Amino acid sequence: MKIPVVKQILTGNDQIAAENAQTFRENGVFALNLMAAPGAGKTTFILATIDRLPAGIRPAVIEGDLASTIDADTISQRGVPVIQINTGGGCHLDAPMVRNSLPHFALSDIDLLFIENVGNLVCPSNFKLGSALSIVVSSTAEGHDKPYKYPGIFATADVVILTKADILEVFEFDLEFFKRGLKAVNQDAPLFVVSGRTGAGVESWVAWLLDQRRGYTAAT
Amino acid sequence: MKIPVVKQILTGNDQIAAENAQTFRENGVFALNLMAAPGAGKTTFILATIDRLPAGIRPAVIEGDLASTIDADTISQRGVPVIQINTGGGCHLDAPMVRNSLPHFALSDIDLLFIENVGNLVCPSNFKLGSALSIVVSSTAEGHDKPYKYPGIFATADVVILTKADILEVFEFDLEFFKRGLKAVNQDAPLFVVSGRTGAGVESWVAWLLDQRRGYTAAT
């Protein structure tokens, strides 16, 4: 007797992810799924991005964590609409979690939705959320070997962000080695090297992001 | 109709973990399960520990990674017996993986076995391996909020290691905040603040570790 449990779960998630994508399109929301290891600097990067958005682009954030509202509090203090999803131990966000959070937003007032996934370089890549872009964030502090050790998540990225660039030399980070590892698993994803703290590199990332959003909006 | 799939898997893993523990006892192997986020500095910490072991304590290492042999190569270059387990995308080691690796070692020649789990602050804590100690390694670069955000894995730790202490100030790391978060989920685990690079704090950690091993050996 065949019990295709895993396949059914994945199909269910993919189905709901497609519905989320449709909801985002209908409301003109450009949604980003940010995946990274714990402590890569996702929240700082999101805030650095929001700080450089032009007037008229209205951001919002979904914070995914096992527990706590630390990141959501940080975002909220900046006056940005934010929803916290606590997975209660779960190692990733999934499409139903995102769907269930959406009624808490006024979607028509949002242009750019950052979905900060649970800190994990493995599991989140297996669960689509319905976002327009998958973003992998990696920090110089984690070392230059991450694309070699976690190829699966880097392979699914539409764009890769290397954070904490201001302390790249402290960690003897070999940028060319990192780039070769990324290229080996993902030919297409552009790489932006940024520092959320100093703001270095963030402007060219934002320019690229807004360009992607224009393409998305034109297609809807 | 009840299909208790998950329970059977966990029971199976626990059973094999108990068998691994028995194998370790019979061979006088003190085994450590090191869990951490990607890039926390587990390998550097393992090597810093090995460098400070007294003569007569013979180490070996099992390296767990999704892919690559980068860490195993580093260990091997130091003349330490090492086995690489590639999970092929799996987000944690499990007891059968460890069991299947053991025939590749001469167990009677090993006193201290470091099992470096896949970089992941969520999933590894749910799978016992048969180790005598569960060690959670967290780096200052990841920020001082990790025990609040990943309480599950910190709760299971027998001991916690805070690495990259030499750059604690660079990250404005609030050690007291970290300690409070750890204490809230784990009253018992001692904390060692170390730098694998400078060696600071490693000697008192090694002294504690050897004391634990003496207790283990005396009980067998």
Side-chain angles (χ1 to χ4, degrees), chain B residues 17-209:
Chain B
E19 291 166 17
N20 288 347
Q22 181 63 20
T23 302
F24 292 142
R25 282 204 172 275
E26 287 168 4
N27 289 277
V29 175
F30 191 55
L32 315 175
N33 177 14
L34 289 99
M35 300 175 283
K42 291 186 292 302
T43 310
T44 304
F45 173 68
I46 289 170
L47 286 172
T49 302
I50 288 174
D51 283 346
R52 284 158 185 85
L53 293 177
I57 303 285
R58 299 160 298 176
V61 180
I62 293 175
E63 283 292 340
D65 282 295
L66 277 72
S68 91
T69 59
I70 292 176
D71 290 341
D73 293 344
T74 307
I75 300 284
S76 180
Q77 283 159 18
R78 299 283 282 272
V80 176
V82 60
I83 288 166
Q84 176 78 52
I85 299 177
N86 279 340
T87 65
C91 58
H92 60 270
L93 294 180
D94 62 26
M97 292 177 194
V98 171
R99 180 179 63 183
N100 294 344
S101 76
L102 296 183
H104 298 278
F105 280 128
L107 279 184
S108 57
D109 293 342
I110 297 173
D111 302 302
L112 194 56
L113 177 62
F114 299 83
I115 306 172
E116 182 176 338
N117 219 307
V118 173
N120 187 328
L121 268 188
V122 188
C123 313
S125 66
N126 296 321
F127 294 83
K128 292 180 185 173
L129 305 181
S131 62
L133 287 183
S134 290
I135 304 175
V136 170
V137 179
S138 194
S139 98
T140 59
E142 294 161 23
H144 46 232
D145 56 11
K146 291 298 151 297
Y148 301 86
K149 286 188 180 171
Y150 303 87
I153 200 161
F154 283 93
T156 66
D158 296 309
V159 56
V160 174
I161 310 292
L162 181 65
T163 55
K164 308 192 186 180
D166 52 315
I167 47 169
L168 185 141
E169 285 167 23
V170 175
F171 293 106
E172 297 163 17
F173 189 94
D174 184 339
L175 186 55
E176 292 310 313
F177 184 74
F178 181 88
K179 282 180 180 174
R180 281 199 303 278
L182 175 56
K183 207 78 180 175
V185 296
N186 191 326
Q187 302 285 316
D188 303 320
L191 170 68
F192 291 91
V193 181
V194 309
S195 165
R197 189 155 48 172
T198 69
V202 180
E203 280 186 19
S204 62
W205 144 252
V206 170
W208 182 89
L209 176 66

